[in-house]
Amino acid sequence: MAAIGLVVSLVMALSPGRETDAGEARAAGDSRSARDTPGTPAAGARASAPQTAPEQTPSTTPTPTKGKKPPKATPTPKPTPPAAQSTPQSGSAAAPLVGRIRPNTTYEGVATFYDAGNGDGACLYGPTSDVMTAAMNHTDYETSKACGAYVRVRAASGASVTVRITNECPLPCAPGQLDLSAQAFAKLAAPSRGQIPITWSLLSPDTSDTISVRYKTGSSRYWCGIQVIGHRNPVARLEVRAGGGWRQLPRTEYNYFLAEDGNGCGSTIRITDIHGERLTVDGITVRPNTVQPTKVQFSKR
């Protein structure tokens, strides 16, 4: 019996399919173990799956800083002048009459001097025999508003001199600075000083002269520039009669009021000083580069 049992066991062990079943059972167990183990990826998943790039928030277009415009690819066209410059305006629509230089105000600064030559300057009054003149610093010159103003200048020594503004002292001339003619500076200190501290104030001087008007070279009924000469107080505004009303003309750095379209050229002129006094002048025709006297003058203040 024992021999028969041994033979049966050997036959069963060597029977086909038994090794295959055991191998399949082991493979199935290994596969379950890999799937069912938390946190363990399937074999090859790490290498074959594409990497996802981090999600990026789309960049937004920057908001331009207030007051600045983003650059453009095409040139910006030249702006059209405001309509207010080419249509009649009433006096109430104008800007304040008094600029940086105010009556009854004392300013501090320094005085320097220069060779004034024949007395002509940025204000384009032309040559003059009056050597008591000065150039106003760029800031207080204020687009020629200071032109023709009379200023009393005082030095620390107590010496003083009255000058008329006929020129502009460009930067780096500081606010408050006056560049006097050499003759005017000599009234305050020795030229060897070069520069001295001063105070100065606006003056409304005694004068027997009357105001004159001059049309700029090249003026006609199609384009004109108008200048006021010999005014006691600084001129704040110039208007011309046009279209049944008064048209205020813009002022230039070179002290002319322009009517670039000719509207009002040769008509009645109204001149206003910084105190608000208005003078109306008739009969001034368009005669380029000719000083035409009037019979009016601003009041002494």
Side-chain angles (χ1 to χ4, degrees):
M1 291 297 290
I4 294 172
L6 179 60
V7 171
V8 172
S9 297
L10 290 172
V11 172
M12 290 179 65
L14 297 174
S15 176
R18 295 298 297 175
E19 184 173 349
T20 303
D21 292 343
E24 287 178 356
R26 286 195 299 271
D30 291 344
S31 177
R32 283 194 301 270
S33 176
R35 278 201 309 270
D36 298 340
T37 304
T40 304
R46 193 184 301 273
S48 63
Q51 295 185 359
T52 304
E55 184 178 355
Q56 297 182 357
T57 304
S59 61
T60 57
T61 302
T63 303
T65 304
K66 185 177 181 182
K68 295 183 179 179
K69 297 182 179 179
K72 297 182 179 179
T74 56
T76 303
K78 185 177 181 180
T80 302
Q85 294 185 5
S86 59
T87 57
Q89 292 186 353
S90 62
S92 60
L97 298 177
V98 180
R100 289 181 56 87
I101 303 176
R102 298 176 175 272
N104 306 314
T105 303
T106 300
Y107 299 88
E108 295 183 352
V110 297
T112 51
F113 67 92
Y114 75 111
D115 181 3
N118 62 8
D120 198 8
C123 296
L124 295 188
Y125 287 129
T128 177
S129 58
D130 180 8
V131 294
M132 295 296 111
T133 60
M136 181 62 72
N137 67 82
H138 172 76
T139 303
D140 294 325
Y141 183 78
E142 199 178 4
T143 317
S144 76
K145 286 184 180 179
C147 283
Y150 287 88
V151 172
R152 176 174 289 147
V153 187
R154 294 185 183 278
S157 64
S160 67
V161 63
T162 297
V163 295
R164 183 169 64 105
I165 304 301
T166 60
N167 208 350
E168 175 185 10
C169 183
L171 295 172
C173 275
Q177 182 173 349
L178 291 175
D179 203 20
L180 306 177
S181 67
Q183 295 89 336
F185 187 92
K187 299 279 186 181
L188 302 177
S192 59
R193 296 279 300 277
Q195 176 177 303
I196 59 171
I198 58 167
T199 59
W200 56 272
S201 57
L202 187 64
L203 184 66
S204 182
D206 292 323
T207 180
S208 58
D209 294 337
T210 58
I211 287 174
S212 296
V213 172
R214 174 166 52 197
Y215 276 93
K216 196 176 188 309
T217 302
S219 293
S220 69
R221 62 190 181 93
Y222 303 106
W223 178 95
C224 67
I226 306 173
Q227 183 184 59
V228 184
I229 304 171
H231 44 90
R232 172 186 270 128
N233 306 319
V235 172
R237 181 191 304 152
L238 187 142
E239 300 162 284
V240 292
R241 178 71 74 177
W246 290 104
R247 177 192 182 191
Q248 182 179 341
L249 300 185
R251 192 173 197 163
T252 67
E253 288 277 349
Y254 51 88
N255 195 33
Y256 273 86
F257 296 85
L258 295 187
E260 294 188 285
D261 58 3
N263 193 13
C265 294
S267 66
T268 301
I269 298 171
R270 186 164 70 180
I271 310 163
T272 307
D273 71 2
I274 62 172
H275 302 283
E277 183 178 358
R278 291 174 173 172
L279 304 176
T280 302
V281 180
D282 291 311
I284 302 295
T285 59
V286 181
R287 295 168 57 193
N289 201 28
T290 300
V291 176
Q292 302 183 60
T294 72
K295 296 181 179 179
V296 296
Q297 180 61 271
F298 293 122
S299 302
K300 179 176 171 58
R301 302 289 174 172

